[in-house]
Amino acid sequence: MRVKYQARNVEVREEGAGPAVVLVHGYPLDGDMWAEVSRRLAAKFRVLRPDLPSRRDTPHPSQPTMAEYAGWIAAVVDAAGGKAGVAGFSMGGYVLFELLRTRPETVAAAAFVDTQASADDGGARQNRNRAIFTAREMGPSAVSDGMIPKLLSTSGRGRPDLVSRVRAIVRRQNPNSIEHDLLAMRERADSLPSLGAIGVPTLVVVGSEDAITPPAKAEEIARGIAGAALVTIPGAGHLAPMENPDAVAAALSEFFARSLR
Ligand code: MLT
């Protein structure tokens, strides 16, 4: 599917048929992180997995903010019929919170995968600034390569095929996407106070070994949203959709089948 963004027609990966489901990726990644989950969901759904701004076909944002990223995802949903199930992984979850605040009518059901509702505290903001400085001085791989071990569980780090697939995605990210994501994440709003206003069916998914947004962060989201279900993926780290696509796809498939009828 092609969707207009910044006066350009952007190619958005699409597979399957049925109710629309949009998968939003995290940092420092792109839509390919969802490839295995998408293939499984495509048996029942029309799955769209766009790249966020500053990646491949998707142009730079006019401002590197979550509002801008959410505006792009809203454009994808609009092009897919105006309403969709949306799953956001980590930074993609921050985008989904913003979408629910600014264009709630576009989200029929929300799945938060290995993410958190809270904003960056002072220490986290300083880390973003340090990462921006390092990426500028030493190149983006000096920042993004350091992410790879944190993305996976101990057992995931012992799977060479998985590590090389993750590394291939991380390494192809360009300096702009790294910096824009860091700025957008640093300035994102605190979504904890608005959890109670989320009125769509909600699923929260987390890898039991997630070291970046641990299970306590997932529990916090699930507690704050009326009727939210929580699924824990045993043994998976932060990047659960790549470590255990069978389990993540099964949880999303059951949830979206129930909520997008
Ligand atoms: C992500 O996986 O998208 C990021 O690690 C999230 C973050 O750094 O806050």
Side-chain angles (χ1 to χ4, degrees):
M1 185 175 77
R2 293 183 86 77
V3 184
K4 198 140 207 143
Y5 179 62
Q6 306 282 19
R8 195 184 304 170
N9 280 319
V10 177
E11 188 61 43
V12 173
R13 304 169 195 79
E14 176 180 14
E15 62 188 322
V21 169
V22 178
L23 304 176
V24 188
H25 64 79
Y27 158 91
L29 302 162
D30 58 39
D32 275 348
M33 65 149 280
W34 285 112
E36 292 294 301
V37 169
S38 173
R39 197 159 54 77
R40 288 157 175 81
L41 291 179
K44 283 193 196 154
F45 305 98
R46 177 184 178 201
V47 188
L48 300 154
R49 48 186 177 100
D51 289 329
L52 286 168
S54 311
R55 288 160 172 87
R56 298 205 270 192
D57 210 22
T58 316
H60 295 333
S62 48
Q63 300 283 335
T65 61
M66 282 304 150
E68 174 79 22
Y69 286 16
W72 160 233
I73 298 304
V76 172
V77 176
D78 285 342
K83 210 174 179 75
V86 183
F89 164 77
S90 199
M91 180 178 72
Y94 311 157
V95 176
L96 178 51
F97 280 123
E98 188 65 31
L99 186 62
L100 284 161
R101 262 192 300 276
T102 53
R103 292 284 312 277
E105 75 285 359
T106 58
V107 183
F112 294 97
V113 181
D114 293 283
T115 189
Q116 60 189 336
S118 46
D120 279 5
D121 61 15
R125 289 168 65 92
Q126 268 178 17
N127 288 340
R128 304 286 190 204
N129 291 339
R130 266 195 288 275
I132 291 167
F133 179 79
T134 306
R136 279 184 192 158
E137 293 295 304
M138 296 165 69
S141 60
V143 173
S144 52
D145 277 5
M147 283 291 291
I148 296 170
K150 294 187 218 153
L151 291 168
L152 299 171
S153 67
T154 311
S155 70
R157 289 197 291 275
R159 288 166 50 193
D161 65 314
L162 173 66
V163 173
S164 74
R165 274 183 293 125
V166 174
R167 187 180 291 133
I169 298 177
V170 169
R171 288 236 169 116
R172 69 170 173 245
Q173 301 313 313
N174 64 61
N176 294 308
S177 76
I178 299 285
E179 180 159 341
H180 292 159
D181 291 358
L182 288 165
L183 289 167
M185 289 193 288
R186 187 189 71 188
E187 298 305 322
R188 76 185 186 278
D190 184 359
S191 295
L192 279 175
S194 52
L195 287 180
I198 295 175
V200 293
T202 300
L203 174 71
V204 185
V205 178
V206 66
S208 65
E209 311 303 314
D210 186 339
I212 296 181
T213 49
K217 293 287 188 183
E219 286 155 20
E220 191 173 48
I221 300 173
R223 260 199 317 274
I225 303 174
L230 174 64
V231 171
T232 303
I233 311 293
H238 184 60
L239 200 34
M242 288 187 72
E243 270 200 60
N244 193 341
D246 279 334
V248 172
L252 292 178
S253 179
E254 191 276 326
F255 168 67
F256 284 129
R258 188 161 33 86
S259 335
L260 300 179
R261 272 197 292 257

